[in-house]
Each structure stands twice: as C-alpha cells, then as structure tokens.
Amino acid sequence: MPANSPNVDVVRLDAATVASANRSTYTPKTLPAAFFQTAGTDAGIYGVGSSPEPVVDRQIKPTALPMRTPPSAPVVPYRVGVGDVLLLSSPDAGNTVEELSGLLAAQNRRQGYTVQDDGAIAVPDVGRIKVAGLTLEEAEAQVFQRLISSQMDPSFSLEVSEFNSKRVSVGGAVSKPAVVPITLVSLTLEEALAAAGGISTRDEDYTLIRLYRDGELYEVPLTEYLKRPGVQKTRLAAGDSIFVDTTFELEDAQAFFTEQIALATYKQDAQIHALNQMNSAMNLRRSALEEARSNFLSRLELDSVDRDFVYLTGEVKTPSRFPLPFGKTASLADALFENGGSQNMTANPARVYVLRGQPGSDRITAYNLNYRDATNLVLATKFQMRPNDVVFLSEQPITKWNRVVQQLVPSLLTSSATLAAN
C-alpha cells in the first residue's frame, strides 16, 4: 500500500489538492502540421492571360438607319457632386482702403472649395461639411448651420464655380470630341454637339447619332435629327454618352457582337483551364497531406512515435498503459474509464491512487481518490494526468482474504490426500 512506504506522501484528493496538482507544468505533444493544413493553402494562383485583340471587319452602308428617339431627362434642381468647386463668399471686415477698393476686396473674400471623395468640403476653422447630393439651397443651409455652430459670422453666399460632377461625353464624327459639364441649366443634345464643335461628316445620309444612357441605346439618323427641333432640344442626363457614327451598318454590329461572344468564350475556356490547373495542384497537395497523415498513423500504430503514457494497474479490468492525447490534457476519469474501469467485485473504490514522482527527488506523491462517495468522481474529471503517472486501484479486504484462502485450500487438500494414502 502507498501509505506503508516511507518514500510515499499520501494526499487526499479534494478541490484544493486537485488545483495544486494541476499546477505542475506540462505541454501535451502535438500532431504534425499535416493534420492542420488544407489542400487549398498555398495552392497557387493561376491567371487566364490576356485576351486576343479585337478585329474590325469591313463596313457596308445599310439601306436604312434605325430610329429610337431618346427621352428628355427630367428637369430637377442641380445637386452638388464630387469634383464640383464651390465658391464661398463671406464678408471680411477690412480697413478703409479695402472698402474703397470695392471689387478687389470682394475678390479677396471669395474662396473656392472642391467637393472631395467623401462628399465634403474642408472650410478652415469650421471643418468638413457634407454637401454632396444637396441642392445649392440645401448646401447653403448646411454651411449656415456649421458657421453658427462654429460661432462664426453666418453671412455668406454660395455658388458653383466649376461643374465637374455631372458630365456628358461626345465623340465620334465631331470636330472636337469633348466632355461637356451639366450646369445649373439643363444641357440639350444640340448644345452638347455644339460644344464638341458640331458634327463633322461628308455623308449625312449615313450618319447616326447614338446616345447611351443607363445601359440603353438610342439612335437617331442625322437627317431626322436635323428635321426635328424636339429631338434637338432633348435634355441630357449626367453620364450620357453621345457617339456620332458615319458609316454604321448592322453587319458590322453583328460581327462586333459575334467577336465579343468569341472573346467571352475564349476567356471562359481560359478560366476553365486555370481552374483545372488549380484543381490538379490542390489534388497533388491533398495527396501529399493524406500520405503524411497516413505515414504518421502507421508509425503511431507501430509504436514508433514518441508518446506520453499513464500506467494502470491493480484491480482494473485490463492492466495497461493509457496514451495521453495530442494537443490537450487528459483527466484521471479518462484514464480510468478508457479501458473499462475497475473490477467492481474486487476493487476498493475508497483506495484509488495516482502515484506521481516528485521532480528532483526519490519521493512519490500518492493522490488518493475515494469514490465510494460517487460525487468525488467529479474530482477525477478535473485531475489532470501527467506523463508516467501510475494509477493503482487497491483490492477489497475481503478480496485479499479470498485470495489467501484460494492459495491455501489446494495445499490443504493435497496434504490431506497424502495423509490418507499413507
């Protein structure tokens, strides 16, 4: 028994002694990295490469030009946008010379502010003021409130000096392809064409004005445009794109879209090829990981892997060694019940011992668990095992007596038979 050995210190297990025993340092062994990696890690990135350059086919004049008149954009108040430059004019109490100079003094009090990416202007001593998406009246109200909050003179005027946020592009058969801004006044189709220097073509009968808006295409032959003042006065919207074609024909459009389909097919095939390459690389990596894991499991089965063990002996169903798990600790309950637990008929539940050597000494600590009171099994679930611990289950007193009797009875029977024969 552990208590009869002079080198053994018996410690009764309770919450305090369990906590004390668990404070001993121990780092569980870990599984190889192959068990934590996935086949997708570092599998590589595969691009589809560049697409072939488009090819322009020859053009044939059509017998008729399509006609689809664009609708006029609604008349709405101008809303400030990113890139616009706002001119803020405020009074500036100057000296008599400045007041007499009139225009010069007024110019010195005018400051332009660009609406930045976050939709705000940065005003010194005031901070950033959000104005994007507001009408001028709403923007003035916003600036007024910020000036009041900053305890500054709220007398000012606000105007847009540069319109950069809402524009219409004009290209194709025009004298000067341009980007035309939309200002406080609505921009019409004829004004946009005039800003680009007018239409420049030698064949009006086969010239087409094309307007792209929100994914829609509108087309007006130049001859019809010149005859319809209502079309000329069509109001444009921000983002409209106008392109003047001089030799538009349906076959060319069909060839263009056929070419686009071919390019899309090429890109799709290239993507499939890249995906197949990536899958092949992932399969190779997956196979390598599976091989590494399989090799480790084979070594583990052959007991060629360095492991930490706990040893079970005494009145257990199967005296054995219990391997401590990888990456985590195991409890006394894990060790007891992993291989079937104790012999119910012969084991003494009051005398379960965990024998643990004391570092740097020949002494042994015997932690005693009494689970005759079943609630003490909770302590077994909290007591952490350490490498080379020995779990010993003592026998019942009656078990010891029975074993003595079993050893003596055959001897007595043999002696009696010998005497009877003589």
Side-chain angles (χ1 to χ4, degrees), residues 69-230:
T69 306
S72 280
V75 178
V76 294
Y78 185 85
R79 292 189 177 275
V80 177
V82 175
D84 287 344
V85 178
L86 301 185
L87 197 61
L88 181 64
S89 302
S90 57
D92 184 10
N95 55 37
T96 304
V97 175
E98 290 174 334
E99 292 174 354
L100 292 177
S101 62
L103 179 60
L104 178 60
Q107 290 176 345
N108 287 340
R109 296 193 298 269
R110 294 161 64 88
Q111 179 66 46
Y113 301 97
T114 301
V115 181
Q116 300 176 4
D117 291 345
D118 60 352
I121 58 174
V123 179
D125 301 325
V126 176
R128 303 188 69 79
I129 305 176
K130 285 275 190 178
V131 293
L134 304 181
T135 64
L136 275 178
E137 183 179 353
E138 293 169 343
E140 286 180 345
Q142 186 76 356
V143 174
F144 179 84
Q145 292 296 331
R146 291 297 298 274
L147 291 177
I148 291 295
S149 300
S150 301
Q151 298 182 349
M152 299 179 66
D153 186 354
S155 301
F156 70 94
S157 64
L158 191 68
E159 60 184 280
V160 182
S161 63
E162 294 182 25
F163 298 87
N164 298 320
S165 64
K166 298 171 179 59
R167 298 183 290 182
V168 172
S169 62
V170 184
V174 293
S175 298
K176 297 182 296 180
V179 176
V180 185
I182 296 178
T183 63
L184 299 178
V185 181
S186 298
L187 178 67
T188 64
L189 180 56
E190 66 175 350
E191 291 171 342
L193 291 172
I199 297 174
S200 176
T201 178
R202 291 177 295 179
D203 192 349
E204 294 183 357
D205 292 336
Y206 293 99
T207 299
L208 189 69
I209 301 173
R210 309 172 72 182
L211 189 148
Y212 300 87
R213 176 185 296 167
D214 297 331
E216 296 288 337
L217 172 63
Y218 303 95
E219 300 168 309
V220 179
L222 179 56
T223 53
E224 293 296 323
Y225 167 81
L226 295 175
K227 291 187 296 185
R228 300 189 183 192

Side-chain angles (χ1 to χ4, degrees), residues 298-342:
S298 297
R299 291 178 55 217
L300 192 64
E301 186 176 354
L302 295 172
D303 201 18
S304 65
V305 176
D306 185 22
R307 296 292 302 272
D308 292 327
F309 292 97
V310 169
Y311 301 89
L312 287 84
T313 187
E315 299 303 313
V316 293
K317 289 186 178 180
T318 307
S320 60
R321 62 179 186 176
F322 168 69
L324 293 180
F326 291 98
K328 64 176 185 178
T329 59
S331 68
L332 174 57
D334 294 330
L336 280 173
F337 296 107
E338 177 70 17
N339 293 326
S342 63

